[in-house]
């Protein structure tokens, strides 16, 4: 079945699959950020006097959480364009 | 009577200005240290600027979520995140494809805001640390 496929082409194909799997890492922070924003909104509704503090804390937390998705994106791009296995 | 605290952007402005300063300093150091610094410095600066602009975009969208009905917030926040993720992906794609920019340097620039937030927390921890009495 794998006749006629060079080892380099096989590695490139596997790298593309790996890049796709790495890009899935971007979904987690998206769900987490949406959930955190919903909870922040709920907290503002409960304590409107603390709106500034809640949003400030939320911005910092979400900026940290967002980098987790970027890790996956960077790994995917490295696998596609700077493939270390070829 | 309870007073409503205004939404202050001070930490965001502080982190953005520190980020710009640190990006400039790192660029100067790279320019002096490397023999062919143009692609690396260009890539790093592009990554850092995109990261700072996305941070600003995230702040504005989060401030907007505070006044939205709760059932719409999660979808809105996720949609905004996907837009920012797409911006990161497109910029990184062109950085890797273009011979005049270094993709790895662009990826390093993406972590500028995170480094600044962690440095800010560390500085605040050092400033708030109680000093030992009696020199012991």
């Amino acid at each position: 079945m794998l006749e006629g496929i060079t080892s380099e082409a096989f590695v490139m194909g596997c790298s593309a699959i790996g890049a796709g799997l790495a890009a899935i890492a971007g979904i987690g922070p998206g769900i987490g950020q949406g959930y955190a924003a919903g909870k922040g909104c709920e907290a503002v509704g409960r304590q409107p006097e603390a709106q500034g503090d809640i949003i400030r804390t939320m911005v910092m937390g979400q900026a940290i959480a967002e980098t987790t998705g970027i890790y996956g994106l960077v790994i995917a791009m490295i696998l596609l364009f700077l493939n270390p296995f070829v | 009577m309870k007073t409503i605290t205004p939404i202050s952007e001070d930490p965001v402005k502080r982190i953005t200005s520190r980020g710009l300063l640190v990006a400039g300093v790192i660029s100067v150091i790279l320019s002096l240290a490397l023999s062919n610094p143009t692609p690396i410095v260009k890539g790093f600066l592009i990554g850092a600027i995109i990261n700072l602009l996305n941070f600003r975009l995230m702040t504005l969208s989060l401030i907007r979520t505070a006044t939205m009905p709760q059932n719409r917030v999660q979808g809105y926040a996720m949609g905004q995140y996907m837009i920012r993720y797409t911006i990161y992906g497109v910029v990184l794609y062109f950085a890797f494809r273009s011979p005049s920019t270094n993709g790895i340097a662009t990826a390093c620039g993406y972590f500028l805001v995170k480094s600044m937030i962690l440095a800010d927390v560390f500085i605040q921890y050092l400033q708030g640390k109680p000093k030992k009495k009696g020199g012991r």
Side-chain angles (χ1 to χ4, degrees):
Chain A
M1 188 182 165
L2 293 178
E3 243 175 72
I5 299 175
T6 60
S7 61
E8 192 178 329
F10 183 73
V11 170
M12 285 299 286
C14 289
S15 299
I17 293 170
L21 290 174
I24 293 175
I27 295 172
I31 296 170
Q33 284 195 358
Y35 189 72
K39 287 290 174 191
C41 185
E42 197 181 310
V44 170
R46 206 181 300 132
Q47 270 190 309
E49 69 273 7
Q51 188 186 28
D53 290 335
I54 291 167
I55 289 182
R56 213 176 299 144
T57 313
M58 199 163 67
V59 166
M60 297 303 158
Q62 296 214 357
I64 294 286
E66 198 170 83
T67 47
T68 317
I70 302 173
Y71 289 139
L73 188 69
V74 171
I75 295 297
M77 290 289 177
I78 287 173
L79 279 175
L80 285 177
F81 299 112
L82 287 181
N83 200 326
F85 303 112
V86 176
Chain B
M1 186 184 157
K2 288 177 179 176
T3 52
I4 294 176
T5 317
I7 299 169
S8 166
E9 287 187 346
D10 282 343
V12 174
K13 281 182 183 166
R14 191 174 63 230
I15 284 166
T16 308
S17 56
R18 272 187 199 164
L20 279 173
L21 186 72
V22 169
V25 169
I26 290 175
S27 303
V28 170
I29 291 171
L30 287 175
S31 308
L32 295 174
L34 299 172
S35 57
N36 181 22
T38 315
I40 292 177
V41 170
K42 212 166 143 185
F44 180 77
L45 279 180
I46 288 172
I49 288 168
I50 291 293
N51 193 20
L52 289 169
L53 289 175
N54 268 339
F55 182 57
R56 174 79 185 147
L57 189 65
M58 188 181 73
T59 310
L60 293 177
S61 68
L62 283 179
I63 288 171
R64 198 173 163 200
T65 55
T67 55
M68 284 175 86
Q70 204 193 336
N71 54 354
R72 283 184 53 208
V73 168
Q74 190 163 0
Y76 177 77
M78 276 178 69
Q80 288 289 316
Y81 168 73
M82 286 304 163
I83 290 171
R84 290 196 301 274
Y85 195 70
T86 310
I87 293 171
Y88 280 129
V90 169
V91 172
L92 201 56
Y93 172 79
F94 283 109
F96 271 109
R97 295 293 282 183
S98 166
S100 64
T101 52
N102 189 319
I104 298 289
T106 308
C108 290
Y110 280 175
F111 300 110
L112 186 76
V113 166
K114 183 177 184 174
S115 320
M116 286 305 104
I117 291 173
L118 293 179
D120 195 51
V121 171
F122 186 65
I123 289 167
Q124 279 178 6
Y125 169 75
L126 287 182
Q127 283 174 348
K129 206 175 177 180
K131 289 175 184 171
K132 287 178 185 174
K133 287 178 183 173
R136 280 183 286 173

